[in-house]
Amino acid sequence: MMNSQWMVETQGDPLSTVRDLVTSIWENGELSGMILSIDGNQDPASKPELVLNPERLSNVNPFKPVMTVNAARLVPEHLANNPDQKLGALLRPCEMRALIEMVKHDGFDLDQLTTICVDCLGTLPAEDYQWRANRIGSGDNLAQDALKFARQGGILAYRYRSACQMCTSPGASGADININVLGLPVRQQILIRARDEGTAARFQIEKFSDHHADQALIDQHERVLFKLSQRHAHTMQRLFDTLSDYLPESVDGLIQQLESCGDCQNCMDTCPICTISRPVLTEDGQYGRQDVMRWLVSCAGCGMCEQSCPSHLPLSAIFGYIREQLKEEFGYLPGSSPGEPLPLM
């Protein structure tokens, strides 16, 4: 079987290398547009958008350490509005997981969508990112700083959003093209992995890359991913212990918490899963247990809920705690396999 993982020399500039790769994928895939985040001069924390001009890819920044919207929630609308166009989406791992779960809930077609996923180095709270970007000059500079420490698995973990601190799957996975930087000497090399041989041939990955990846480099990437997963799992448990007074004991306890919020549904308004399958508050102010379970069993852990909460509740930990219960009950890991059916239908 053909090796579908390649090494690319970055010549000291991994960000420009990834931009060139994204441009190559656009051209070889004959795409009409791509959902991604562009660095903006006026708004360093600009939201992802559908970009229709490939010349704008010179400012794409997938390593910008901020996340204001889960880009997966934009995909169904843009696919529906452009049914005859080939589109792309450049996603973080939690966004890719969310997209996979959204398809399971709704069954919409991804045949016209090319997905690209990049390893996540972590994201800062929006206010903290804005301050740092203004101080250091640009989102590009912050991304370059984060990339310097990719080989060690990143930096400033305690300053990242709690969702990132608890993320046990920061590696790119599940996309048509996956770009790996964690654990790697990114000023020299990064890794690219295609979904299969046909995908690699379609996007001419072999021509863009230098040669097939050495096993030692692949192993190095996987070792750091494993260490990060273990570290973040310990952080998750520590947060659960610290926030025990806030955590509901069960799904039923969580439903009571949600119902006590009244009409506020900010967490659902920003959740990508809820764009497809949203728990409904009945006229008597109650949520259905099955609806809430179906929602949280698919939780991708992106933390958009916590960022939007006006009461500043630790929702990443609250929802994460229930998600872990459901994972243990059903043996289901959200976003891990597109072919795995939802445990609750």
Side-chain angles (χ1 to χ4, degrees):
M1 179 179 292
M2 173 181 146
N3 181 354
S4 60
Q5 198 154 358
W6 287 267
M7 185 274 293
V8 178
E9 298 284 353
T10 62
Q11 309 300 325
D13 192 347
L15 183 54
S16 291
T17 301
V18 171
R19 285 170 171 164
D20 290 343
L21 173 61
V22 172
T23 301
S24 175
I25 291 171
W26 181 308
E27 293 172 350
N28 290 316
E30 299 179 340
L31 304 183
S32 299
M34 189 175 290
I35 300 166
L36 43 73
S37 181
I38 295 289
D39 250 354
N41 295 327
Q42 300 301 320
D43 182 11
S46 55
K47 298 178 180 179
E49 59 181 297
L50 177 61
V51 173
L52 301 175
N53 184 353
E55 292 182 3
R56 297 186 66 197
L57 296 181
S58 61
N59 290 323
V60 66
N61 191 346
F63 304 109
K64 183 167 58 177
V66 67
M67 184 176 173
T68 55
V69 173
N70 187 312
R73 72 193 308 270
L74 308 180
V75 170
E77 179 182 359
H78 287 308
L79 289 179
N81 291 339
N82 301 275
D84 300 320
Q85 303 296 322
K86 296 179 181 178
L87 301 181
L90 180 58
L91 306 171
R92 299 177 187 272
C94 61
E95 293 172 326
M96 191 66 227
R97 292 194 295 272
L99 182 61
I100 291 172
E101 292 301 300
M102 290 164 67
V103 170
K104 292 181 183 181
H105 278 267
D106 184 76
F108 58 93
D109 193 352
L110 294 182
D111 287 348
Q112 294 294 96
L113 184 73
T114 295
T115 52
I116 310 167
C117 189
V118 296
D119 285 353
C120 185
L121 300 171
T123 59
L124 299 161
E127 300 81 5
D128 193 6
Y129 172 84
Q130 192 80 35
W131 178 82
R132 291 177 181 275
N134 291 337
R135 185 181 182 192
I136 201 171
S138 72
D140 261 19
N141 291 340
L142 280 176
Q144 295 285 14
D145 278 354
L147 283 164
K148 289 177 184 177
F149 297 90
R151 190 168 190 170
Q152 291 79 31
I155 56 172
L156 300 176
Y158 68 97
R159 293 179 178 172
Y160 288 151
R161 297 184 306 126
S162 58
C164 296
Q165 294 183 42
M166 294 191 297
C167 177
T168 57
S169 303
S173 178
D176 295 310
I177 304 293
N178 300 281
I179 303 172
N180 301 136
V181 297
L182 286 168
L184 304 178
V186 296
R187 291 186 63 79
Q188 289 82 44
Q189 302 153 338
I190 62 173
L191 293 176
I192 302 173
R193 187 174 71 257
R195 183 186 299 279
D196 51 39
E197 295 181 19
T199 302
R202 176 189 172 198
F203 295 105
Q204 301 184 33
I205 299 301
E206 191 165 11
K207 290 184 179 180
F208 183 88
S209 62
D210 293 278
H211 53 73
H212 288 300
D214 296 330
Q215 189 60 45
L217 203 62
I218 297 173
D219 292 344
Q220 185 174 320
H221 167 67
E222 291 179 350
R223 279 196 301 271
V224 169
L225 275 184
F226 178 77
K227 289 180 180 178
L228 278 175
S229 178
Q230 294 293 100
R231 184 193 307 167
H232 292 182
H234 289 313
T235 299
M236 182 190 300
Q237 188 57 55
R238 187 167 65 250
L239 285 171
F240 288 166
D241 294 340
T242 302
L243 298 170
S244 58
D245 291 342
Y246 289 93
L247 301 180
E249 293 184 0
S250 64
V251 173
D252 295 318
L254 174 62
I255 291 174
Q256 291 178 8
Q257 282 191 0
L258 290 172
E259 291 171 352
S260 71
C261 293
D263 293 333
C264 178
Q265 297 186 355
N266 283 19
C267 57
M268 298 181 195
D269 290 341
T270 57
C271 175
I273 306 303
C274 287
T275 62
I276 298 297
S277 179
R278 181 179 182 132
V280 177
L281 190 65
T282 61
E283 291 183 0
D284 57 1
Q286 295 182 333
Y287 287 103
R289 190 175 193 274
Q290 190 81 351
D291 287 348
V292 173
M293 290 176 67
R294 289 185 74 248
W295 170 32
L296 292 183
V297 78
S298 288
C299 174
C302 67
M304 294 296 97
C305 52
E306 182 169 323
Q307 283 192 184
S308 68
C309 179
S311 299
H312 305 291
L313 295 175
L315 293 182
S316 292
I318 290 173
F319 292 159
Y321 185 70
I322 298 300
R323 182 185 66 236
E324 291 299 302
Q325 289 186 12
L326 295 174
K327 183 171 73 173
E328 183 174 344
E329 178 178 353
F330 296 106
Y332 181 80
L333 187 63
S336 60
S337 173
E340 185 179 9
L342 286 170
L344 293 158
M345 297 300 293

